[in-house]
Amino acid sequence: MITVLRLGHRPARDKRVTTHVALTARAFGADAILVSTKDLALERSVRDVVRRFGGDFRIQTGVPWRRIVREWTGSKVHLTMYGEPVEKVAPQVRSDNLLIVVGAEKVPREMFDLVDWNVEFAGPLRIRPSPRGKVVLESEP
């Protein structure tokens, strides 16, 4: 089972982005998305897509994210620009019960400690690999 947890959704500002996160999760085979902020319009929109295009994808908004992360029994991966390279971490991640955390607004510091892995992807700015914390390095031209 793969579940995406969208943390910090702001309905007035993040509506389209969170919808895209949900539909991308569905397209890549996730079973569900949980959203920390209650948003019935978002739920209706995603459920309408599932109804029209099929599948068993589920959405729930207004979830208590701390409890979900603390009680999760499988692997917990936080997608962030601060952390270890995804290529290094991927072989260690169990995919049988996977929680993928995707932030919207500034993610609370405690999330970095609650998850099993904080991962990053390559880009113009580099982060010195660190399982907890951040060191930003600029790429040389």
Side-chain angles (χ1 to χ4, degrees), residues 87-101:
E87 298 83 9
K88 176 183 174 188
V89 171
Q92 303 170 54
V93 176
R94 287 188 0 245
S95 61
D96 57 325
N97 195 24
L98 176 61
L99 180 68
I100 301 170
V101 180

Side-chain angles (χ1 to χ4, degrees), residues 49-135:
V49 169
V50 173
R51 180 187 58 75
R52 288 183 292 133
F53 292 95
D56 294 326
F57 188 77
R58 296 175 314 283
I59 182 171
Q60 181 181 356
T61 66
V63 301
W65 69 265
R66 284 180 180 87
R67 188 182 82 210
I68 289 182
V69 176
R70 285 188 185 119
E71 295 176 1
W72 195 263
T73 57
S75 295
K76 300 175 281 190
V77 177
H78 173 214
L79 304 183
T80 176
M81 62 183 137
Y82 312 115
E84 299 179 282
V86 70
E87 298 83 9
K88 176 183 174 188
V89 171
Q92 303 170 54
V93 176
R94 287 188 0 245
S95 61
D96 57 325
N97 195 24
L98 176 61
L99 180 68
I100 301 170
V101 180
V102 179
E105 60 187 352
K106 183 170 174 56
V107 174
R109 173 68 182 90
E110 69 183 293
M111 180 59 76
F112 290 82
D113 296 323
L114 290 172
V115 297
D116 300 313
W117 296 280
N118 293 290
V119 300
E120 61 151 331
F121 297 87
L125 295 179
R126 298 291 305 151
I127 307 298
R128 181 177 297 141
S130 171
R132 309 273 186 233
K134 60 184 176 184
V135 179

